[in-house]
Amino acid sequence: MSKIILITGASSGFGKAIAEKFAAGGWNLIITARRKEKLEAVAAAIEKKYSVKTLSLVFDVRNKEAVFQQLENLPSEWQAINLLVNNAGLALGRDSFENANMDDWETMIDTNVKGLLYTTRAVLPFLIKQQGHIINIGSTAGKEVYKDGNVYCASKHAVDAITKAQRIDLLQYKIKVTAIHPGAVETEFSLVRFKGDAAKAAAVYVGYESLQAEDIADTAWYVANVPKHVCINDIVMTCVAQANSIYLHKDA
Ligand code: NDP
Ligand code: 8X3
C-alpha cells in the first residue's frame, strides 16, 4: 500500500518540490495552501506524470478552526498519514526592530509558529496510529539571528524549539521528528518578503549559486527513507557560498 505524505504550503517553492519528489517515489499526497488555482495546478501536473493520488486542501494555516475542520475530517482513505511536512511559512519585511511593521510580525508568528502548532495537533492522532514522522522546515534564521531579521528569526528559533519539544514528548509514540534548516533558496520566498518587489527579490540571489527547492526535497526524501530505527534530528544546509545566516560570499 502506498504511503501518505501531508505537505503544507505546496503551491510553490519547497512544498511543491517535495510533492513532486515523493510522488516520483510512489507516495500519495495531501497538499495544502491558500492559493487554490496554484495548488490544483500542482496536483494536476503530478497526477498526469505519476500514478499516485492527490488530495488538495485549501485553507490558511493561521485559521485554527479551518485547520481542524479540514484535517480532523479527512476522508477515511486519507487518514493513514505517514509523514507530515510543516513547510507553510513566510518572512515579511527586513526592517530594524524599531521600524518593523507590527502586522508583519503578527503574520509571521501566526503562520510560522501557530500554524505549525495547529496543523501538527490536528494531524497527530493519525500520525500516532501510523508511528509516523514529522519534518519541520526551520531555517538558518532559526540558528543565528541576523540584522533586521528580528521576528522572522524568532519564529524560526521557535520552530527549532518546538521540534525539540515534539521529539521529547512524542518519544512514547515512536514518532520521528526532524527539522531541516536551509539557508538561502531561490523560491517565491523573497518576492513575498519584499511584498512583490521583483528587483529586490532577485537581488538576493545574485553573485552566487543558491540552493534550489529540489535540494530541500532531496533532503526530505533522504530523512524520510532512512531505516525504521533511525531518526535524523536536525539538518542545517546551505549552498557552498554561505556559511550561516550571517556570512554569504558573493562574487563581485
Ligand atoms: P514560497 O513562498 O515559495 O512558499 C511558501 C508556501 O507557504 C506557499 O505554498 C504558500 O502558499 C504557503 N503559505 C504561506 N502562508 C500560508 C498560510 N497562511 N496558510 C497556508 N499556506 C501558506 O517559499 P519557500 O518554499 O521558500 O518557503 C517554504 C518554507 O521554507 C517557509 O517556512 C520558509 O520560511 C522556509 N525557508 C525558506 C528559505 C528560502 O530561502 N527560500 C530558507 C529557509 C527556510 P499560499 O501562498 O498559496 O498559501
Ligand atoms: C530563509 C533564509 O536567510 O532569508 O529562511 O533568513 S533567510
Side-chain angles (χ1 to χ4, degrees), residues 14 24 29 33 62 65 69 75 81 84 91 95 110 133 140 147 151 171 192 194 197 202 209 228:
F14 303 0
L29 317 170
R62 291 173 294 175
E65 286 71 35
Q69 203 278 330
I81 296 168
L84 165 65
D95 303 295
D110 288 350
H133 189 172
T140 45
K147 179 155 172 40
V151 170
L171 206 52
V192 172
F194 297 120
D197 185 334
E209 188 178 348
K228 196 165 185 283

Side-chain angles (χ1 to χ4, degrees), residues 23-79:
W27 289 50
N28 291 328
L29 317 170
I30 304 172
I31 54 176
T32 87
R34 292 166 301 178
R35 289 172 294 174
K36 187 171 189 280
E37 268 182 28
K38 284 212 161 219
L39 190 67
E40 287 179 349
V42 170
I46 282 174
E47 287 198 347
K48 198 168 167 197
K49 198 163 168 194
Y50 306 104
S51 312
V52 298
K53 292 182 190 144
T54 68
L55 176 67
S56 302
L57 300 176
V58 177
F59 62 86
D60 188 324
V61 295
R62 291 173 294 175
N63 182 335
K64 184 162 55 169
E65 286 71 35
V67 171
F68 279 88
Q69 203 278 330
Q70 295 268 358
L71 298 179
E72 283 184 330
N73 299 306
L74 284 171
S76 56
E77 68 271 25
W78 284 102
Q79 292 185 0

Side-chain angles (χ1 to χ4, degrees), residues 184-185 203-211 239 241-242 248-251:
V185 190
V204 172
Y205 306 106
V206 170
Y208 68 105
E209 188 178 348
S210 75
L211 292 175
C239 65
Q242 188 172 15
L248 175 69
H249 180 82
K250 290 197 175 197
D251 293 327

Side-chain angles (χ1 to χ4, degrees), residues 8-27:
T8 64
S11 59
S12 67
F14 303 0
K16 181 179 174 190
I18 292 168
E20 171 101 18
K21 182 78 188 178
F22 280 73
W27 289 50

